[in-house]
Amino acid sequence: MKSWQPTTTHEARVARAELLRNIREFFYARNVLEVDTPLLSNGTVTDEHLDAFDTEFNFAQSGEPTRLYLQTSPEYAMKRLLCAHSGSIYQICKAFRHEGEGRWHNPEFTMLEWYRLGFDHFALMDEVDALLQETLATSPADKMTYQQAFQTYLNIDPLSADDNVLLKAMEQQNIDIHAPQSLSDDSKLQLLFSYAIEPKIGIDKPCFIYNFPASQAALAKLSATDERVAERFEVYFRGAELANGFNELSAASEQRQRFETDNEKRRAANLPVKPIDENFLSALDAGLPSCAGVALGIDRLLMLKTNAKHIQEVINFTVSRA
Amino acid sequence: MANYSTNEFKGGLKIMLDGEPCNILENEYVKPGKGQAFNRVKIRKLISGKVLEKTFRSGESVEGADVMDTELAYLYTDGEFYHFMNNDTFEQIAADEKAVGENKKWLVENDVCTITLWNGSPITVTPPNFVELEITETDPGLKGDTAGTGGKPATLSTGAVVRVPLFVQTGEVIRVDTRSGEYVSRAQK
């Protein structure tokens, strides 16, 4: 075997250790507690476009072989801690996504996730900005709504544009894909965003995009003032989608409804239906304190810090060498 | 020919698109955090030479193209076809005008060219990076000019016209870069 060697340099490994130390100091100074939750779980994500690795556990107390899922993020387990009065918490852990590899992607990666009690998504965006300034020495970030971004760079309103408007915009941007009309409106918006907006934002300093369409809410609260949008944000910097945050949805019934809607979409797309994380929903029933949370890709942050062109320059053994 | 899934996409992979064999130049995996995954691919169509960008849904399969490069020596043209030979097996292949295209002006007898075959038939002919050709016609330059400023047009034995320094004369053999069509030097004897 000739692929035993790491794809990183010693300098990159030193940079990772330094970055992790900086992050821990950042949260220590803010009195946010570091926690640890399991990577394996009985329930998993239901998102149509997110797949977990799974494995069989032959030693369950039930005596039956049980399917366990590797986490795609520590979100559900960390929210259970929040419901158990943990206060503000953070975690640095591995997350796994059953999908392809690429310049910015490895199926197994390191994630920083944190939750702040009493913060809304605006307060949390400011804290993410502070972390970026401290770890990457960036200037204060730009902020723009999802709607403003589409209006500025594509001259369309993503909240009211119909199918024809989106298809026409894709054509104008030379997005050449077989049967574009069969894509969901969200996929059309995401392609337009990736091809026509992402290359133009977050060039000299990070850019926060917030108030995503309600159809892309995931686990975010819908806005009280405009039900068409969710209180979700993402951060983009130099070509990387760095972090995704929410003003967290705390209503258990609405959360269950969203999981079930996801699974209906999966059924319609001929994809396997996923087991809902009942422990998580029970915790929400007990009461999630008002909070905002965000997940940030540490490997991508490290790529930006070290000017790496490919994620394999910062991950010792990517999946093809794992 | 086998099908390829987007997971197998990488530079150099040959696939079929709109009935034409294509070479993948670049492949980028695009996956918004909460969205569907795509492969954004830059492709060169091998017959028309056109470069274009195409997006595939990740997991989609496309038909592979039976395309291979062979190294063959140029023999001669009969006016309609250009004949090449494999120097090891002595097997001969004829490429038509369309496959040779603009490169016919760089074909020199016995030079080894790269012939791209699709389903066994030549679709492109790439000459060596450097060829040596004789000047059949050029204006006599001023004696003593060695600076090579400006230069002058020279017609070569194949009909190609290149700019050469003033001191180079009719009957001389010169070395030309076929990628840029530029004069490099007088040929070493």
Side-chain angles (χ1 to χ4, degrees), chain A residues 49 176 178-179 187 195 241, chain B residues 31 33-34 36 54-55 57:
Chain A
H49 300 299
D176 184 359
H178 174 67
S187 284
Y195 287 37
E241 179 190 331
Chain B
K31 170 79 173 81
K34 304 285 168 190
Q36 190 174 356
K54 196 91 186 160
T55 298
R57 293 163 181 79

Side-chain angles (χ1 to χ4, degrees), chain A residues 1-249:
Chain A
M1 295 295 282
K2 54 182 187 281
S3 56
W4 67 269
Q5 286 160 314
T7 46
T8 50
T9 59
H10 182 69
E11 289 70 29
R13 298 191 282 271
V14 170
R16 176 179 289 264
E18 233 171 53
L19 178 63
L20 292 175
R21 199 186 68 218
N22 290 343
I23 292 170
R24 288 194 161 97
E25 280 164 359
F26 180 89
F27 288 108
Y28 183 76
R30 285 167 173 73
N31 207 17
V32 179
L33 183 69
E34 180 165 12
V35 295
D36 179 82
T37 55
L39 301 181
L40 287 169
S41 169
N42 286 290
T44 185
V45 288
T46 51
D47 300 46
E48 186 185 350
H49 300 299
L50 194 52
D51 271 312
F53 286 92
D54 56 30
T55 186
E56 201 168 80
F57 179 45
N58 292 327
F59 304 93
Q61 285 180 342
S62 64
E64 297 290 324
T66 307
R67 189 142 305 275
L68 293 177
Y69 296 85
L70 280 168
Q71 68 176 8
T72 56
S73 89
E75 179 154 13
Y76 301 160
M78 289 182 78
K79 284 184 178 167
R80 284 164 66 187
L81 290 178
L82 292 163
C83 294
H85 314 293
S86 65
S88 294
I89 50 176
Y90 80 97
Q91 176 162 205
I92 295 169
C93 62
K94 286 294 173 109
F96 304 83
R97 294 183 180 179
H98 200 175
E99 54 195 41
E101 51 179 323
R103 186 156 108 76
W104 295 104
H105 295 268
N106 192 54
E108 172 181 351
F109 58 102
T110 306
M111 189 177 252
L112 163 65
E113 182 148 328
W114 79 95
Y115 291 87
R116 292 295 246 141
L117 259 52
F119 276 39
D120 63 5
H121 59 311
F122 291 105
L124 190 57
M125 279 193 261
D126 288 341
E127 191 164 75
V128 174
D129 193 11
L131 179 78
L132 295 179
Q133 290 181 39
E134 205 154 309
T135 52
L136 295 179
T138 49
S139 311
D142 288 328
K143 292 194 182 81
M144 200 188 285
T145 65
Y146 195 81
Q147 188 182 36
Q148 283 165 349
F150 274 80
Q151 283 167 340
T152 306
Y153 297 106
L154 288 159
N155 208 18
I156 60 174
D157 178 4
L159 304 178
S160 63
D162 64 14
D163 219 39
N164 287 329
V165 172
L166 297 178
L167 286 171
K168 205 175 137 217
M170 283 173 64
E171 208 181 301
Q172 281 167 351
Q173 294 299 320
N174 291 319
I175 302 176
D176 184 359
I177 183 166
H178 174 67
Q181 65 284 356
S182 73
L183 293 165
S184 69
D185 282 355
D186 282 328
S187 284
K188 291 187 195 104
L189 288 171
Q190 283 155 353
L191 275 176
L192 285 168
F193 193 92
S194 302
Y195 287 37
I197 299 176
E198 254 191 80
K200 294 186 181 140
I201 59 173
I203 295 167
D204 303 322
K205 49 192 158 177
C207 180
F208 286 82
I209 300 290
Y210 64 98
N211 286 1
F212 274 66
S215 54
Q216 299 177 37
L219 280 73
K221 249 184 203 158
L222 293 188
S223 160
T225 51
D226 182 355
E227 282 224 326
R228 297 174 304 164
V229 300
E231 294 183 339
R232 172 182 162 205
F233 67 85
E234 294 240 14
V235 193
Y236 299 88
F237 188 39
R238 284 167 37 202
E241 179 190 331
L242 256 188
N244 175 56
F246 305 136
N247 193 1
E248 301 292 348
L249 174 67

